[in-house]
Amino acid sequence: MLDIRDLTKSFGKGDSAVTALHEVNFSIAEGEFFTLLGPSGCGKTTLLRLIAGFEPPSGGALVLDGQDIAQMPPNKRPVNTVFQNYALFPHMTVAENVSFALGAQGRPKSEIAETVGRMLNLVQLGHLAHRKSGELSGGQQQRVALARALAPKPRILLLDEPLSALDMKLRKEMQVELKRLQQETGLTFIFVTHDQEEALTMSDRIAVMNGGRIQQIASPRDLYDQPANRFVAGFIGETNFLSARCEGGQLFLPQADAPLPLPHRDGPVTLMIRPEHVVMGATQQESLALTAKVERLTYFGTDTHVHLRLADGATLVARVQNALRGGASCRDGETIPVSLPADALRLLPQEVA
Amino acid sequence: MVDRAFDIRRLPGAATLAITCFVILYVPMIILVANSFNTGRVIGEWEGLSLRWYAAALQNEAFLNAAATSLILATMAAAVATVTATMAALATTRSRGFKGEGAIHLILNQPIMVPEIVLAIALLIILAQVKQITGYTGLGYLIIAHSAFCIPFAYMPIRARLEGMDLTLETAAADLYASRFYAFRKVTLPILAPGILAGFMLAFVISLDDVVISDFLKSPGQDTLPTYLLGELKRNLTSEIYAISSLLLLISVLIVAGSWLVTRKKI
Ligand SMILES: Nc1ncnc2c1ncn2[C@@H]1O[C@H](COP(=O)(O)OP(=O)(O)O)[C@@H](O)[C@H]1O
Ligand SMILES: [Mg+2]
């Protein structure tokens, strides 16, 4: 229902111009929980502001329900925003904040009262309807901002790091609540975060951004299992990277005892494996066999991280679940065999740093 | 001992100097107010406590006329100055970094920097001509002149309020389907209101207090409170002047206190 085509945004002119977005392309389906994930400064807010209409794009198209809205002013777009700092109107009560959009649209009083009541119930703030917004806690302000943006029934709700100002516990609660709200209302959400865990747990699909470019768009599972490049692999979850080479259908890892048959285009590659897939010891599975020295064990409660050093100095981290076989059985300084199972290996294009 | 930051209160003589200034500022005012309650006619000779001179003032037609003129003038000038200052403040803070922004600041604040007597002479030369051509001798000239020099005083609190306002609020209003006018009426203006009120009050007091420009530009027979007082001082020095001055002081203090109260409120 929303198609973004070759969307580009530059700030400034001439030599001092900054390009915040480079030809961004994606489509969002009705009812989707779509997340923009990336480090600070990668262009997430800029993209959201273009969709909301606060900034004109430098190029490209924004098509909502078949209509190009790129030049439409924000007060005409059926899209609402939950701002990072909430931006509640400080001189108004909670109820007045929530009714603002309906008042601006000139809806009848009875409809406004009914909608405001329903919205406040939805975010469980009915009892605070007549408080001034400045007298609320951070979590409550967050809910008011949400109710205010939901009240006019937008086609898309934009949320710019809405949970980043909350403490850890409240944040987890709001994650669950936001997801519930999205599922109950069936509304399309575009959610911005720099927190990969938040993105993985909440989203239907995630667009990973870096330097104003979309790196990959996929479901959380595919993003984690099949990252498109080194940036995505490194940004989401923990990862080991090793330099390797493909030749004649074989994968050569310098530190491995023998090559592994693996069909791939010839040339240098970056080999990636998640720590939980590294096997301590030898295995029957098809795998790359290495020898490593145990440098350090870090205990994390549910699992233990084993920091390994390979013969040529490269490092490798293995994660062992403590519930399985009593956890890691090795000791510091020990030299042990390590296996990298073939089905857990991912080959990424080698990038020049 | 830890090296403390420079503390001006420790400077030798600082306290003495400050106290001297306060004494010079306030003691004469106290004496003035006290003397306004003197029964005696001649200043400096205490004959007993009474409200005699207040009663006399309230029956003095010339004083009442001057007071009415002053109040009308101050209200009109403050209103014009506040509207202009509000528009100027919105223009200079909302459209960031436009060409000639510095020049506009300079022009707006010019009345604070130019000696008032110079402005008065300049206005006199022009307005004397206008008076001759049009034949109009009413309060209009004073209203225009007062409006002009009151603008910077109205501008300062409005601008301060506007700078403290979160710009995202206007973005949020636009996001929530508000037209520019609706957003201004429902969001910007209510948040700005205390600054506007303070600006109005400040402009009102400044206008009420003006002598130089009023004295130069007033038409024959016209008087504001300060020019009336000045004239009376030259003619006959009675305790009635003290009563009138005390009334003027009271109005100013009330308004300044009021403007302080409204600006104290946080956004
Ligand atoms: N109004 C602006 N003027 C100039 N540069 C801007 C402006 N807004 C954003 N940028 C630049 O665009 C880039 C992306 O910013 P932003 O979208 O805020 O990133 P994010 O929200 O992902 O942290 C940054 O380099 C930022 O400095
Ligand atoms: Mg941002």
Side-chain angles (χ1 to χ4, degrees), chain A residues 327-345:
Chain A
S329 53
C330 55
R331 293 219 187 87
D332 288 9
E334 213 177 334
T335 299
I336 54 165
V338 171
S339 308
L340 310 181
D343 59 6
L345 297 178

Side-chain angles (χ1 to χ4, degrees), chain A residues 89-345:
Chain A
F89 303 124
H91 57 295
M92 295 184 191
T93 63
V94 168
E96 285 166 346
N97 264 284
V98 176
S99 69
F100 185 88
L102 302 170
Q105 287 176 323
R107 303 267 182 87
K109 279 224 163 62
S110 57
E111 184 196 330
I112 294 181
E114 189 269 326
T115 308
V116 170
R118 201 155 36 78
M119 285 302 137
L120 289 179
N121 280 341
L122 191 68
V123 296
Q124 296 153 20
L125 279 181
H127 57 296
L128 296 179
H130 302 294
R131 284 275 185 89
K132 278 273 164 64
S133 55
E135 299 163 6
L136 305 176
S137 72
Q140 288 166 339
Q141 291 188 19
Q142 166 71 75
R143 285 160 200 265
V144 177
L146 205 57
R148 183 179 74 172
L150 286 172
K153 295 200 189 74
R155 292 282 289 138
I156 304 178
L157 189 70
L158 309 174
L159 303 102
D160 192 358
E161 310 212 19
L163 309 180
S164 62
L166 306 179
D167 64 48
M168 197 52 155
K169 186 171 170 297
L170 200 55
R171 201 179 165 135
K172 297 270 181 225
E173 282 173 28
M174 282 305 292
Q175 285 177 5
V176 174
E177 191 160 338
L178 259 183
K179 186 73 190 169
R180 169 186 71 86
L181 215 72
Q182 192 260 337
Q183 282 166 341
E184 270 176 25
T185 55
L187 210 70
T188 311
F189 275 35
I190 301 182
F191 182 88
V192 163
T193 182
H194 63 262
D195 180 337
Q196 46 112 357
E197 192 184 311
E198 193 165 278
L200 288 178
T201 54
M202 298 176 76
S203 320
D204 294 324
R205 277 193 310 153
I206 300 171
V208 181
M209 294 177 68
N210 190 33
R213 288 191 168 82
I214 298 228
Q215 304 292 316
Q216 186 175 7
I217 301 180
S219 69
R221 181 176 293 269
D222 287 349
L223 219 49
Y224 189 80
D225 283 347
Q226 307 287 344
N229 57 37
R230 189 168 172 148
F231 177 82
V232 175
F235 196 74
I236 297 185
E238 284 166 60
T239 315
N240 294 299
F241 294 115
L242 295 167
S243 289
R245 194 167 43 81
C246 281
E247 219 173 283
Q250 303 243 75
L251 174 68
F252 292 89
L253 181 68
Q255 301 91 339
D257 303 344
L260 190 71
L262 205 78
H264 192 270
R265 197 159 45 87
D266 285 2
V269 292
T270 297
L271 188 156
M272 171 211 141
I273 183 164
R274 300 280 182 194
E276 64 270 27
H277 291 135
V278 175
V279 177
M280 312 279 291
T283 172
Q284 296 299 329
Q285 284 173 275
E286 196 182 16
S287 64
L288 285 167
L290 321 167
T291 309
K293 189 171 163 204
V294 179
E295 284 228 308
R296 187 156 46 88
L297 296 173
T298 316
Y299 182 74
F300 275 95
T302 54
D303 43 39
T304 301
H305 289 193
V306 184
H307 295 259
L308 302 161
R309 191 166 290 276
L310 307 181
D312 68 339
T315 58
L316 190 69
V317 178
R319 184 191 292 180
V320 185
Q321 272 191 29
N322 292 329
L324 291 175
R325 303 184 305 266
S329 53
C330 55
R331 293 219 187 87
D332 288 9
E334 213 177 334
T335 299
I336 54 165
V338 171
S339 308
L340 310 181
D343 59 6
L345 297 178

Side-chain angles (χ1 to χ4, degrees), chain A residues 39-46 48 84 160-161 192 194:
Chain A
S40 178
C42 73
K44 307 180 296 289
T45 296
T46 303
L48 224 53
Q84 191 163 6
D160 192 358
E161 310 212 19
V192 163
H194 63 262

